[in-house]
Amino acid sequence: MDLKALRNYIENIGRELVKCPLRCEGIVNSPEKGIIPRCLILEESNLNILGCIIVGINPGSAKRYEREAYMKNCSYNQVLYIWQHRIRNLRYYKYSRGLAEKLGFRGAILWTEICKCEKRQKQKDIPIETIRKCINRYLIKELNAVEKTVGAQIPIIALGNTAYQILCLLFPNFFIIGVPHPTGSYGHFAELSRDENIILAKQKIDEAKRKGKSCVKIFPRQIKKSLSSSDRK
């Protein structure tokens, strides 16, 4: 496992990412306003292993301090600095990191997004064409780098239904775990994070692996339904 080589790959992609020349439909890529493609981060740990990859659908709206920072210095180093000092402990990252640890995926985390730009205001969904372009331009490179340096055995945690479905369709070489979005309004993520549900989730993950499956969904409803089905057999 070569985390140093992976970091080099990710940093090269990150430098390309923040300078992306595309202005795709439904998203905002406006460096002059401090709104740029972002959220590709390799977060290291004391363990010299990659514990998991965590993938969301796209960044949320940039905070004022982000926009001001990127207007002054639109670089990948600036993205890393802002993430480390202002963003890494926001709820999205804190909750997702905590779930990964509870599921037993300890080590470094590669954070990324299906689409690297935030949506336009009042835009409900990111257009399929925009998602396709961004995946082909960046995410495929990122996961190829993972496969080349540390192997495709690294699990991917997909945050939310849309991310889960896209990843299952496009990346069968990886084991994809679908979980609720950490900042969703229905409380599903918090419910999944309860100790009793973590136990059920681990069992469902292990069962999927034993059966040779490449993806599994561990929303609370799914794991409880699976348990009820097992009890009836």
Side-chain angles (χ1 to χ4, degrees), residues 55-58 112-116 125-136 139-140 143 156-178 214-215 217:
V55 185
I57 187 64
N58 71 292
T112 188
E113 306 280 343
I114 299 288
C115 180
K116 303 299 194 286
D125 298 313
I126 301 172
I128 292 295
E129 176 67 10
T130 297
I131 290 174
R132 185 188 67 80
K133 284 181 180 178
C134 200
I135 288 174
N136 287 339
L139 187 60
I140 287 175
L143 296 187
I156 297 178
I157 298 176
L159 303 178
N161 267 316
T162 303
Y164 174 70
Q165 291 168 1
I166 291 171
L167 291 167
C168 288
L169 285 169
L170 295 181
F171 299 101
N173 289 346
F174 287 85
F175 187 71
I176 317 294
I177 303 169
S214 61
C215 53
K217 198 172 180 181

Side-chain angles (χ1 to χ4, degrees), residues 18 36-41 70 73 75-84 87:
V18 298
I36 63 173
R38 57 196 189 277
C39 296
L40 175 60
I41 304 288
Y70 301 143
N73 179 6
S75 70
Y76 186 60
N77 283 341
Q78 184 79 314
V79 169
L80 295 177
Y81 180 86
I82 294 297
W83 189 87
Q84 181 66 32
I87 294 176

